[in-house]
Amino acid sequence: MSWLMLTIAGLLEVVWAFAMKESQGFTRAIPSAITIVGMIASFALLSLSMKHLPLGTAYTVWTGIGAIGAFLVGILFLGDAASPPRILAALLITSGLVLMKLSSGG
């Protein structure tokens, strides 16, 4: 259950990061509200997952899911560059996440 909560927390990090971008500096009400609610939910689930997962594992996976998710959202919806070095960097982050999960024993 901790891994599921952590995964959802990471996905919510992507949601709030995208909403923050769309809020245009917190000048748009709905994206700003989504940002705040998404942050609270993401942090709450991260906190709950840390009851059973090591700090380093939980935090690394949470930020990794957020980083890769934001990277993909940027490419798919915001026109960010999908250059080979950026894709390689994303693959290296993903490899690190998989290794962290495998080494956690959970």
Side-chain angles (χ1 to χ4, degrees), residues 2-14 42 46 49-50 53-69 93-104:
S2 295
W3 282 102
L4 177 61
M5 286 188 292
L6 183 59
T7 301
I8 294 168
L11 294 172
L12 285 169
E13 186 180 5
V14 178
S42 180
L46 172 62
S49 74
M50 285 182 174
L53 297 173
L55 167 67
T57 300
Y59 189 74
T60 300
V61 170
W62 179 71
T63 58
I65 291 170
I68 295 301
I93 292 168
T94 303
S95 299
L97 294 175
V98 170
L99 185 58
M100 187 66 73
K101 165 68 169 109
L102 294 174
S103 68
S104 74

Side-chain angles (χ1 to χ4, degrees), residues 60-97:
T60 300
V61 170
W62 179 71
T63 58
I65 291 170
I68 295 301
F71 171 74
L72 293 173
V73 166
I75 289 171
L76 296 173
F77 299 105
L78 301 174
D80 291 353
S83 65
R86 292 185 81 223
I87 292 169
L88 177 60
L91 290 172
L92 289 171
I93 292 168
T94 303
S95 299
L97 294 175

Side-chain angles (χ1 to χ4, degrees), residues 18-32:
F18 178 70
M20 185 184 296
K21 172 78 172 167
E22 294 298 303
S23 77
Q24 298 178 0
F26 292 104
T27 60
R28 297 177 59 214
I30 292 182
S32 296

